[in-house]
Amino acid sequence: MAIRKLVSLDWAIKKLLRSKANFEILEGFLSELLKDDVKIVDVLESESNRDTAESKQNRTDLSVRNSKDEIVIIEIQFNREFDFLQRLLFGSSKVITEHLDKGREFSKVKKIYSIGILYFDFGQGSDYVYHGRTSFRGVYKDDELQLTAVQKDLFKKDSAHEIFPEYYLLRINSFDDVARTPLDEWIYFLKNEEIKSEFSAKGLLKAKEELDILKLSDEERKSYDRYSYDLHLQASLFESNYVVPWIQGRKEGLEEGRQEGRQEGRQEGRQEGRQEGRQEGRQEGRSEGEYVKAREIAQRLFESNMSIENISSITGLSLQELEKLR
């Protein structure tokens, strides 16, 4: 039985998931990720949430408040950003200051969860879900600093790390499509826009009902088609403006390098002793530089969902080497 295609979560956040009737979908996702029973109270609007020209960017933001008066920031990102961690830090810090009324004591600072759903390979690591939080450890005794009983009562927190923002990074393209946990079922949906009949994670049944492409109105379907087209267009522009010039420049550089190498080889041929060392050094340097560049371009081509066979043909890297870069 064919699995029916669903609309992507990033578009659904912009169009369908802001009404309380559909809070169950995001509540399910957040509950499985945070390992807690999350109940959404309201959606916190911001400039990035609005349906403007910005909606054509490969980025979607949503902030919600839960029943514990905590704020959860969800960000879906398609394009590579090398300073993405700094932007996460800035965003969570900005939310903290925005939600502390002037003159209020610092004990009223909101707990922030920042969730990045990333459709590009960010950083180095073999996992596809990363969690970061702040803790204080002793430099000499390696113990973790704890709250006092008075602080626990005042802050309504059990540990110091609960005061500070927590970060979750989901590297969607690194997921191997094998759903071992309820959270994996959600990540499978985020990657493939499909929900298998045997999936039972919180919120997925509601998502399967509400995000069915066939149930969209004509206007919603046109909007979704435009949004999908924009994503494909931007991926193509990225390839045309960066990948193709890089490949062409690499070919031209290799040819120039060969010509220069031949000339240098003739000149240095008279000095047999130094010739071998120089040639070997240059060759090793060129080979290493070409290999590093090939790995860089391969990572970018993976982000554009190009097949591994085509990437191997373009970069000259073996399939085994490319598998390690996924």
Side-chain angles (χ1 to χ4, degrees):
M1 180 178 178
I3 301 175
R4 182 170 292 176
K5 204 74 172 177
L6 306 174
V7 299
S8 59
L9 185 67
D10 50 298
W11 184 84
I13 282 178
K14 291 175 177 290
K15 299 290 185 179
L16 304 178
L17 302 185
R18 301 183 181 280
S19 67
K20 290 186 178 181
N22 289 326
F23 280 179
E24 179 184 343
I25 297 175
L26 286 179
E27 288 174 347
F29 168 65
L30 296 176
S31 295
E32 299 293 7
L33 177 64
L34 304 180
K35 307 299 182 186
D36 195 11
D37 187 18
V38 175
K39 296 296 180 184
I40 296 175
V41 176
D42 57 5
V43 173
L44 306 177
E45 288 296 339
S46 65
E47 288 298 325
S48 59
N49 287 336
R50 296 176 184 171
D51 187 21
T52 65
E54 292 181 350
S55 65
K56 294 185 178 181
Q57 296 180 354
N58 284 348
R59 174 182 165 189
T60 302
D61 292 331
L62 182 71
S63 298
V64 301
R65 189 195 309 274
N66 65 20
S67 58
K68 298 179 181 179
D69 204 24
E70 300 169 331
I71 297 174
V72 183
I73 308 167
I74 303 172
E75 181 168 332
I76 302 177
Q77 178 77 31
F78 288 87
N79 278 347
R80 173 184 293 272
E81 290 189 1
F82 290 101
D83 59 353
F84 182 76
L85 288 179
Q86 287 88 336
R87 186 155 65 75
L88 282 183
L89 175 61
F90 177 82
S92 59
S93 302
K94 191 170 186 292
V95 170
I96 289 174
T97 57
E98 286 177 346
H99 290 86
L100 181 63
D101 295 333
K102 185 179 294 185
R104 295 300 302 272
E105 58 273 30
F106 288 119
S107 62
K108 302 302 181 184
V109 164
K110 302 293 184 186
K111 170 70 174 184
I112 306 295
Y113 294 94
S114 180
I115 301 168
I117 301 175
L118 311 179
Y119 288 85
F120 60 91
D121 292 329
F122 178 80
Q124 293 184 340
S126 58
D127 212 326
Y128 52 93
V129 179
Y130 286 87
H131 176 214
R133 69 183 190 185
T134 300
S135 63
F136 299 89
R137 302 204 67 85
V139 175
Y140 298 106
K141 297 186 177 181
D142 196 35
D143 62 325
E144 184 172 350
L145 185 67
Q146 303 293 330
L147 298 178
T148 66
V150 174
Q151 289 173 319
K152 290 180 180 180
D153 183 62
L154 177 63
F155 306 149
K156 308 303 179 187
K157 307 290 184 184
D158 292 325
S159 303
H161 73 80
E162 296 180 63
I163 298 173
F164 293 86
E166 294 187 37
Y167 300 90
Y168 289 85
L169 300 179
L170 279 60
R171 301 168 70 212
I172 303 301
N173 293 340
S174 298
F175 178 58
D176 61 4
D177 287 340
V178 180
R180 306 169 184 86
T181 67
L183 177 58
D184 282 351
E185 294 177 0
W186 263 101
I187 296 176
Y188 183 94
F189 163 60
L190 292 171
K191 181 178 180 181
N192 300 292
E193 298 171 10
E194 298 173 349
I195 298 175
K196 294 184 178 181
S197 59
E198 64 268 26
F199 285 178
S200 59
K202 293 180 179 178
L204 280 184
L205 180 59
K206 179 75 170 179
K208 194 171 185 178
E209 296 173 354
E210 298 298 327
L211 305 186
D212 191 335
I213 288 180
L214 298 182
K215 294 182 179 179
L216 296 179
S217 66
D218 290 341
E219 183 179 352
E220 290 172 336
R221 181 60 181 268
K222 291 178 181 178
S223 175
Y224 182 62
D225 288 342
R226 286 195 301 270
Y227 181 74
S228 299
Y229 175 79
D230 286 335
L231 292 182
H232 291 305
L233 177 61
Q234 290 180 56
S236 297
L237 290 175
F238 172 79
E239 182 176 5
S240 300
N241 293 332
Y242 182 82
V243 177
V244 173
W246 187 92
I247 294 173
Q248 184 62 34
R250 178 175 178 270
K251 290 180 179 178
E252 294 173 356
L254 286 174
E255 183 59 32
E256 291 176 0
R258 291 190 186 100
Q259 293 177 359
E260 292 175 0
R262 293 189 189 98
Q263 294 175 359
E264 291 177 1
R266 295 190 190 98
Q267 296 172 359
E268 294 172 359
R270 301 182 183 90
Q271 304 173 19
E272 294 182 359
R274 287 181 293 177
Q275 176 199 30
E276 293 181 1
R278 287 176 178 173
Q279 286 181 343
E280 291 176 1
R282 288 191 178 90
Q283 184 60 40
E284 290 176 1
R286 291 191 185 105
S287 298
E288 179 63 21
E290 292 172 11
Y291 180 70
V292 170
K293 289 181 178 179
R295 286 170 60 92
E296 292 176 351
I297 195 63
Q299 290 175 334
R300 285 162 174 78
L301 293 175
F302 272 127
E303 295 166 11
S304 65
N305 294 321
M306 182 178 290
S307 70
I308 191 171
E309 290 79 12
N310 287 340
I311 296 176
S312 176
S313 176
I314 291 174
T315 63
L317 297 176
S318 68
L319 296 178
Q320 292 77 10
E321 291 174 307
L322 290 173
E323 286 292 348
K324 297 177 182 179
L325 295 178
R326 281 180 178 269

